[in-house]
Amino acid sequence: MQIGMVGLGRMGAAMVRRLMRAGHECVVFDRNPEVVSELEAEGASGVADLSELVARLDKPCAIWVMVPAAVVGSVIEMLGNELAAGDILIDGGNSYYKDDIARAAQLKSTGIHYLDVGTSGGVFGLERGYCLMIGGETEPVQHLTPVFSALAPGMGEIQRTMGQQGDPTPAEQGYLHCGLSGAGHFVKMVHNGIEYALMAAYAEGFNLLQHANVGKRSTDIDAETTPLRDPDAFQYDIDVAAVAEVWRRGSVISSWLLDLSAAALHGDPKLDGFQGQVSDSGEGRWTSIAAIESGSPVPVLSTALYARFTSRGESDFSNKLLAAMRYGFGGHLEKKK
């Protein structure tokens, strides 16, 4: 099958490679001509702009957009002016699902099909495959089934859920038509909100293990800091990297995220190569907003989002005000780091 790909970053380029491995023909574009040339050398057809991309594709054509959410709107608008009725436009980035609803309605007026495809797999997707969460009309979804099937992991070595019988469902193979326009990115939004919380849980747990020897540390006695009540209870020099390894084997909390944590701790036990500033690309915020609007409590997911804000120094001013208030009512001086 033939498909166009706009955006050849960490995921877009790997997706093209996976599609070509499965025998699909890919016509590719990126603002960086070097990455276009790299994929041309591997068998893709490169183009210099979006107009040429549309012209090179057989009709009706399908174009997958894999660019950051901040620019996806402008790219879709430009492509919408180039495409014709019956063509399919796919947004595989992390867009806000409400934007999908508006874009699908606008493109439908010209006969262009729009699909929103939440795509999870990261830099390992080329080998592992991509989990795809799809929103939009049924007809274009069915038309692109060979593409989704090629990108998805397939059944692999994962055992079927107890009670599942017959031919494997698309969900068992790693892709799912979730519903109407916006449904794919809604599911991916919640997926990433959960991801924030899972990552935060691991990070907090390992941080507690890192502090298990706090009873051995000498601290200055002052009026501003409560002393450790039971220092004898915190005398453990725990090998945090080794804990990550043992938890990977047979533990209830084993996961790919734990695998990644173990790899990071093995290579850099103190994590000196990281500053600890954790970005958020929007999905965690949108998850919390959707939870508020729908009346669905997500305290763990929201707390994980706020922790990311804190990691970037967004709470510095509030902490300074706390220190100022303590000084104001009790003359409490800040304890210097």
Side-chain angles (χ1 to χ4, degrees):
M1 188 172 189
Q2 187 190 54
I3 189 166
M5 179 69 76
V6 177
L8 305 175
R10 288 172 297 181
M11 290 184 66
M15 292 169 67
V16 168
R17 292 184 172 100
R18 187 170 175 89
L19 286 169
M20 290 194 297
R21 286 182 182 179
H24 296 286
E25 178 187 351
C26 295
V27 182
V28 301
F29 168 74
D30 191 276
R31 291 183 299 176
N32 182 354
E34 292 183 4
V35 295
V36 174
S37 297
E38 288 178 9
L39 286 171
E40 280 185 308
E42 298 177 36
S45 298
V47 296
D49 55 45
L50 295 178
S51 296
E52 185 182 357
L53 175 72
V54 175
R56 291 277 291 274
L57 293 168
D58 299 332
K59 295 294 184 178
C61 66
I63 298 178
W64 192 302
V65 177
M66 205 68 187
V67 299
V71 299
V72 70
S74 60
V75 172
I76 287 176
E77 183 178 358
M78 287 187 286
L79 284 170
N81 294 329
E82 299 281 347
L83 296 174
D87 292 339
I88 305 171
L89 189 54
I90 308 126
D91 177 12
N94 286 324
S95 294
Y96 189 31
Y97 78 96
K98 290 186 178 180
D99 291 339
D100 294 318
I101 296 172
R103 288 166 184 158
Q106 183 177 1
L107 291 169
K108 188 175 183 179
S109 65
T110 61
I112 300 171
H113 302 291
Y114 176 84
L115 300 180
D116 52 283
V117 181
T119 307
S120 180
V123 296
F124 292 93
L126 175 59
E127 302 300 334
R128 289 169 55 99
Y130 300 89
C131 176
L132 304 174
M133 297 144 271
I134 309 161
E137 301 166 289
T138 299
E139 181 182 350
V141 172
Q142 292 178 339
H143 177 72
L144 289 172
T145 293
V147 169
F148 299 140
S149 179
L151 288 171
M155 291 289 288
E157 298 179 357
I158 299 176
Q159 294 183 354
R160 301 191 77 176
T161 301
M162 188 176 298
Q164 289 277 22
Q165 297 179 348
D167 294 335
T169 65
E172 289 181 286
Q173 298 175 66
Y175 66 97
L176 177 67
H177 184 198
C178 301
L180 300 175
S181 295
H185 278 148
F186 189 95
V187 174
K188 179 57 161 53
M189 172 188 74
V190 177
H191 165 284
N192 282 27
I194 293 172
E195 178 185 298
Y196 285 20
L198 291 174
M199 293 172 70
Y202 282 122
E204 291 178 10
F206 281 112
N207 189 52
L208 180 55
L209 292 175
Q210 191 77 359
H211 283 77
N213 64 355
V214 68
K216 292 183 175 183
R217 304 174 195 171
S218 60
T219 56
D220 296 332
I221 298 176
D222 59 62
E224 303 303 324
T225 307
T226 184
L228 182 63
R229 181 182 179 91
D230 298 309
D232 290 342
F234 295 92
Q235 298 287 320
Y236 307 117
D237 292 314
I238 294 177
D239 186 336
V240 177
V243 170
E245 286 296 338
V246 75
W247 282 353
R248 292 180 61 211
R249 294 163 174 82
S251 165
V252 172
I253 62 170
S254 59
S255 73
W256 186 34
L257 288 174
L258 181 59
D259 295 344
L260 296 174
S261 298
L265 290 167
H266 175 74
D268 184 4
K270 299 297 183 182
L271 301 178
D272 292 329
F274 297 88
Q275 295 181 342
Q277 297 187 27
V278 188
S279 299
D280 71 288
S281 53
E283 301 80 38
R285 304 186 190 204
W286 302 333
T287 300
S288 294
I289 292 171
I292 292 170
E293 291 181 339
S294 64
S296 304
V298 291
V300 175
L301 275 59
S302 296
T303 300
L305 172 65
Y306 294 143
R308 293 193 175 202
F309 295 161
T310 300
S311 78
R312 304 199 300 266
E314 301 296 345
S315 62
D316 286 355
F317 184 81
S318 62
N319 290 332
K320 289 178 181 179
L321 186 56
L322 286 171
M325 286 188 284
R326 289 189 80 241
Y327 178 76
F329 68 68
H332 300 285
L333 297 174
E334 288 185 281
K335 187 174 182 179
K336 302 302 181 182
K337 294 181 179 179

PDB file of all heavy atoms in Angstrom, residues 118-141:
ATOM      1  N   GLY A 118      -3.670   8.090  17.986  1.00  0.00           N
ATOM      2  CA  GLY A 118      -2.727   8.146  19.089  1.00  0.00           C
ATOM      3  C   GLY A 118      -1.705   7.038  18.907  1.00  0.00           C
ATOM      4  O   GLY A 118      -2.070   5.870  18.726  1.00  0.00           O
ATOM      5  N   THR A 119      -0.429   7.394  18.948  1.00  0.00           N
ATOM      6  CA  THR A 119       0.639   6.449  18.623  1.00  0.00           C
ATOM      7  C   THR A 119       1.613   6.342  19.787  1.00  0.00           C
ATOM      8  O   THR A 119       2.228   7.327  20.181  1.00  0.00           O
ATOM      9  CB  THR A 119       1.398   6.913  17.366  1.00  0.00           C
ATOM     10  OG1 THR A 119       0.463   7.148  16.309  1.00  0.00           O
ATOM     11  CG2 THR A 119       2.417   5.876  16.929  1.00  0.00           C
ATOM     12  N   SER A 120       1.725   5.148  20.345  1.00  0.00           N
ATOM     13  CA  SER A 120       2.630   4.924  21.457  1.00  0.00           C
ATOM     14  C   SER A 120       3.657   3.871  21.071  1.00  0.00           C
ATOM     15  O   SER A 120       3.327   2.866  20.458  1.00  0.00           O
ATOM     16  CB  SER A 120       1.860   4.460  22.697  1.00  0.00           C
ATOM     17  OG  SER A 120       2.736   4.249  23.791  1.00  0.00           O
ATOM     18  N   GLY A 121       4.892   4.113  21.442  1.00  0.00           N
ATOM     19  CA  GLY A 121       5.951   3.163  21.126  1.00  0.00           C
ATOM     20  C   GLY A 121       7.327   3.775  21.257  1.00  0.00           C
ATOM     21  O   GLY A 121       8.305   3.068  21.479  1.00  0.00           O
ATOM     22  N   GLY A 122       7.386   5.108  21.128  1.00  0.00           N
ATOM     23  CA  GLY A 122       8.640   5.811  21.342  1.00  0.00           C
ATOM     24  C   GLY A 122       9.735   5.353  20.394  1.00  0.00           C
ATOM     25  O   GLY A 122       9.487   4.858  19.291  1.00  0.00           O
ATOM     26  N   VAL A 123      10.964   5.494  20.857  1.00  0.00           N
ATOM     27  CA  VAL A 123      12.120   5.201  20.003  1.00  0.00           C
ATOM     28  C   VAL A 123      12.315   3.702  19.785  1.00  0.00           C
ATOM     29  O   VAL A 123      13.111   3.302  18.937  1.00  0.00           O
ATOM     30  CB  VAL A 123      13.400   5.825  20.598  1.00  0.00           C
ATOM     31  CG1 VAL A 123      13.308   7.337  20.616  1.00  0.00           C
ATOM     32  CG2 VAL A 123      13.664   5.293  22.005  1.00  0.00           C
ATOM     33  N   PHE A 124      11.599   2.862  20.532  1.00  0.00           N
ATOM     34  CA  PHE A 124      11.727   1.421  20.366  1.00  0.00           C
ATOM     35  C   PHE A 124      10.661   0.849  19.428  1.00  0.00           C
ATOM     36  O   PHE A 124      10.607  -0.355  19.202  1.00  0.00           O
ATOM     37  CB  PHE A 124      11.624   0.711  21.725  1.00  0.00           C
ATOM     38  CG  PHE A 124      12.785   0.981  22.642  1.00  0.00           C
ATOM     39  CD1 PHE A 124      12.733   2.023  23.560  1.00  0.00           C
ATOM     40  CD2 PHE A 124      13.933   0.209  22.577  1.00  0.00           C
ATOM     41  CE1 PHE A 124      13.803   2.283  24.400  1.00  0.00           C
ATOM     42  CE2 PHE A 124      15.008   0.463  23.419  1.00  0.00           C
ATOM     43  CZ  PHE A 124      14.946   1.499  24.329  1.00  0.00           C
ATOM     44  N   GLY A 125       9.821   1.721  18.882  1.00  0.00           N
ATOM     45  CA  GLY A 125       8.712   1.249  18.070  1.00  0.00           C
ATOM     46  C   GLY A 125       9.115   0.531  16.801  1.00  0.00           C
ATOM     47  O   GLY A 125       8.391  -0.341  16.322  1.00  0.00           O
ATOM     48  N   LEU A 126      10.267   0.880  16.230  1.00  0.00           N
ATOM     49  CA  LEU A 126      10.704   0.234  14.999  1.00  0.00           C
ATOM     50  C   LEU A 126      10.773  -1.280  15.182  1.00  0.00           C
ATOM     51  O   LEU A 126      10.346  -2.042  14.313  1.00  0.00           O
ATOM     52  CB  LEU A 126      12.075   0.790  14.584  1.00  0.00           C
ATOM     53  CG  LEU A 126      12.732   0.118  13.371  1.00  0.00           C
ATOM     54  CD1 LEU A 126      11.850   0.220  12.136  1.00  0.00           C
ATOM     55  CD2 LEU A 126      14.108   0.734  13.104  1.00  0.00           C
ATOM     56  N   GLU A 127      11.316  -1.721  16.309  1.00  0.00           N
ATOM     57  CA  GLU A 127      11.438  -3.155  16.557  1.00  0.00           C
ATOM     58  C   GLU A 127      10.240  -3.731  17.310  1.00  0.00           C
ATOM     59  O   GLU A 127       9.791  -4.841  17.002  1.00  0.00           O
ATOM     60  CB  GLU A 127      12.730  -3.428  17.341  1.00  0.00           C
ATOM     61  CG  GLU A 127      13.992  -2.939  16.649  1.00  0.00           C
ATOM     62  CD  GLU A 127      14.206  -3.576  15.282  1.00  0.00           C
ATOM     63  OE1 GLU A 127      13.710  -4.713  15.070  1.00  0.00           O
ATOM     64  OE2 GLU A 127      14.848  -2.941  14.428  1.00  0.00           O
ATOM     65  N   ARG A 128       9.734  -2.982  18.268  1.00  0.00           N
ATOM     66  CA  ARG A 128       8.640  -3.496  19.106  1.00  0.00           C
ATOM     67  C   ARG A 128       7.276  -3.326  18.460  1.00  0.00           C
ATOM     68  O   ARG A 128       6.344  -4.074  18.765  1.00  0.00           O
ATOM     69  CB  ARG A 128       8.630  -2.762  20.450  1.00  0.00           C
ATOM     70  CG  ARG A 128       9.772  -3.102  21.383  1.00  0.00           C
ATOM     71  CD  ARG A 128       9.815  -2.131  22.558  1.00  0.00           C
ATOM     72  NE  ARG A 128       8.561  -2.054  23.283  1.00  0.00           N
ATOM     73  CZ  ARG A 128       8.291  -2.703  24.418  1.00  0.00           C
ATOM     74  NH1 ARG A 128       9.215  -3.488  24.947  1.00  0.00           N
ATOM     75  NH2 ARG A 128       7.134  -2.578  25.018  1.00  0.00           N
ATOM     76  N   GLY A 129       7.136  -2.345  17.574  1.00  0.00           N
ATOM     77  CA  GLY A 129       5.832  -2.018  17.019  1.00  0.00           C
ATOM     78  C   GLY A 129       5.191  -0.888  17.802  1.00  0.00           C
ATOM     79  O   GLY A 129       5.654  -0.501  18.880  1.00  0.00           O
ATOM     80  N   TYR A 130       4.108  -0.356  17.262  1.00  0.00           N
ATOM     81  CA  TYR A 130       3.432   0.794  17.855  1.00  0.00           C
ATOM     82  C   TYR A 130       2.007   0.430  18.260  1.00  0.00           C
ATOM     83  O   TYR A 130       1.279  -0.210  17.495  1.00  0.00           O
ATOM     84  CB  TYR A 130       3.377   1.962  16.862  1.00  0.00           C
ATOM     85  CG  TYR A 130       4.734   2.441  16.423  1.00  0.00           C
ATOM     86  CD1 TYR A 130       5.368   1.884  15.315  1.00  0.00           C
ATOM     87  CD2 TYR A 130       5.403   3.435  17.126  1.00  0.00           C
ATOM     88  CE1 TYR A 130       6.620   2.317  14.909  1.00  0.00           C
ATOM     89  CE2 TYR A 130       6.659   3.879  16.732  1.00  0.00           C
ATOM     90  CZ  TYR A 130       7.258   3.305  15.632  1.00  0.00           C
ATOM     91  OH  TYR A 130       8.498   3.736  15.241  1.00  0.00           O
ATOM     92  N   CYS A 131       1.639   0.854  19.462  1.00  0.00           N
ATOM     93  CA  CYS A 131       0.252   0.728  19.915  1.00  0.00           C
ATOM     94  C   CYS A 131      -0.528   1.886  19.311  1.00  0.00           C
ATOM     95  O   CYS A 131      -0.178   3.052  19.514  1.00  0.00           O
ATOM     96  CB  CYS A 131       0.199   0.761  21.438  1.00  0.00           C
ATOM     97  SG  CYS A 131      -1.476   0.737  22.116  1.00  0.00           S
ATOM     98  N   LEU A 132      -1.596   1.586  18.562  1.00  0.00           N
ATOM     99  CA  LEU A 132      -2.330   2.603  17.819  1.00  0.00           C
ATOM    100  C   LEU A 132      -3.756   2.715  18.321  1.00  0.00           C
ATOM    101  O   LEU A 132      -4.493   1.724  18.393  1.00  0.00           O
ATOM    102  CB  LEU A 132      -2.331   2.259  16.327  1.00  0.00           C
ATOM    103  CG  LEU A 132      -0.951   2.068  15.676  1.00  0.00           C
ATOM    104  CD1 LEU A 132      -1.111   1.585  14.240  1.00  0.00           C
ATOM    105  CD2 LEU A 132      -0.149   3.359  15.731  1.00  0.00           C
ATOM    106  N   MET A 133      -4.167   3.932  18.652  1.00  0.00           N
ATOM    107  CA  MET A 133      -5.512   4.235  19.126  1.00  0.00           C
ATOM    108  C   MET A 133      -6.159   5.177  18.123  1.00  0.00           C
ATOM    109  O   MET A 133      -5.730   6.322  17.980  1.00  0.00           O
ATOM    110  CB  MET A 133      -5.430   4.863  20.519  1.00  0.00           C
ATOM    111  CG  MET A 133      -4.834   3.918  21.570  1.00  0.00           C
ATOM    112  SD  MET A 133      -3.779   4.716  22.827  1.00  0.00           S
ATOM    113  CE  MET A 133      -2.168   4.646  21.993  1.00  0.00           C
ATOM    114  N   ILE A 134      -7.193   4.718  17.414  1.00  0.00           N
ATOM    115  CA  ILE A 134      -7.671   5.369  16.201  1.00  0.00           C
ATOM    116  C   ILE A 134      -9.062   5.966  16.406  1.00  0.00           C
ATOM    117  O   ILE A 134      -9.954   5.321  16.945  1.00  0.00           O
ATOM    118  CB  ILE A 134      -7.720   4.357  15.045  1.00  0.00           C
ATOM    119  CG1 ILE A 134      -6.369   3.630  14.924  1.00  0.00           C
ATOM    120  CG2 ILE A 134      -8.094   5.036  13.739  1.00  0.00           C
ATOM    121  CD1 ILE A 134      -6.454   2.334  14.142  1.00  0.00           C
ATOM    122  N   GLY A 135      -9.226   7.202  15.930  1.00  0.00           N
ATOM    123  CA  GLY A 135     -10.526   7.845  15.941  1.00  0.00           C
ATOM    124  C   GLY A 135     -10.904   8.289  14.540  1.00  0.00           C
ATOM    125  O   GLY A 135     -10.041   8.673  13.749  1.00  0.00           O
ATOM    126  N   GLY A 136     -12.206   8.230  14.200  1.00  0.00           N
ATOM    127  CA  GLY A 136     -12.655   8.683  12.888  1.00  0.00           C
ATOM    128  C   GLY A 136     -13.690   7.751  12.285  1.00  0.00           C
ATOM    129  O   GLY A 136     -14.190   6.823  12.926  1.00  0.00           O
ATOM    130  N   GLU A 137     -14.004   7.993  11.024  1.00  0.00           N
ATOM    131  CA  GLU A 137     -15.015   7.209  10.325  1.00  0.00           C
ATOM    132  C   GLU A 137     -14.529   5.776  10.075  1.00  0.00           C
ATOM    133  O   GLU A 137     -13.341   5.534   9.889  1.00  0.00           O
ATOM    134  CB  GLU A 137     -15.356   7.870   8.992  1.00  0.00           C
ATOM    135  CG  GLU A 137     -15.875   9.298   9.125  1.00  0.00           C
ATOM    136  CD  GLU A 137     -15.869  10.003   7.772  1.00  0.00           C
ATOM    137  OE1 GLU A 137     -14.782  10.325   7.268  1.00  0.00           O
ATOM    138  OE2 GLU A 137     -16.973  10.208   7.235  1.00  0.00           O
ATOM    139  N   THR A 138     -15.479   4.873  10.013  1.00  0.00           N
ATOM    140  CA  THR A 138     -15.141   3.459   9.865  1.00  0.00           C
ATOM    141  C   THR A 138     -14.509   3.151   8.509  1.00  0.00           C
ATOM    142  O   THR A 138     -13.538   2.389   8.425  1.00  0.00           O
ATOM    143  CB  THR A 138     -16.399   2.588  10.041  1.00  0.00           C
ATOM    144  OG1 THR A 138     -16.930   2.806  11.355  1.00  0.00           O
ATOM    145  CG2 THR A 138     -16.086   1.116   9.854  1.00  0.00           C
ATOM    146  N   GLU A 139     -15.033   3.731   7.423  1.00  0.00           N
ATOM    147  CA  GLU A 139     -14.565   3.392   6.076  1.00  0.00           C
ATOM    148  C   GLU A 139     -13.071   3.649   5.885  1.00  0.00           C
ATOM    149  O   GLU A 139     -12.341   2.742   5.451  1.00  0.00           O
ATOM    150  CB  GLU A 139     -15.373   4.164   5.030  1.00  0.00           C
ATOM    151  CG  GLU A 139     -14.963   3.858   3.599  1.00  0.00           C
ATOM    152  CD  GLU A 139     -15.745   4.681   2.582  1.00  0.00           C
ATOM    153  OE1 GLU A 139     -16.722   5.336   2.969  1.00  0.00           O
ATOM    154  OE2 GLU A 139     -15.356   4.656   1.392  1.00  0.00           O
ATOM    155  N   PRO A 140     -12.547   4.858   6.197  1.00  0.00           N
ATOM    156  CA  PRO A 140     -11.100   5.058   6.020  1.00  0.00           C
ATOM    157  C   PRO A 140     -10.259   4.231   6.983  1.00  0.00           C
ATOM    158  O   PRO A 140      -9.138   3.849   6.646  1.00  0.00           O
ATOM    159  CB  PRO A 140     -10.914   6.558   6.260  1.00  0.00           C
ATOM    160  CG  PRO A 140     -12.111   6.989   7.029  1.00  0.00           C
ATOM    161  CD  PRO A 140     -13.228   6.109   6.557  1.00  0.00           C
ATOM    162  N   VAL A 141     -10.793   3.941   8.162  1.00  0.00           N
ATOM    163  CA  VAL A 141     -10.066   3.077   9.099  1.00  0.00           C
ATOM    164  C   VAL A 141      -9.889   1.692   8.491  1.00  0.00           C
ATOM    165  O   VAL A 141      -8.798   1.112   8.515  1.00  0.00           O
ATOM    166  CB  VAL A 141     -10.794   2.995  10.455  1.00  0.00           C
ATOM    167  CG1 VAL A 141     -10.141   1.940  11.349  1.00  0.00           C
ATOM    168  CG2 VAL A 141     -10.786   4.346  11.153  1.00  0.00           C
TER     169      VAL A 141
END
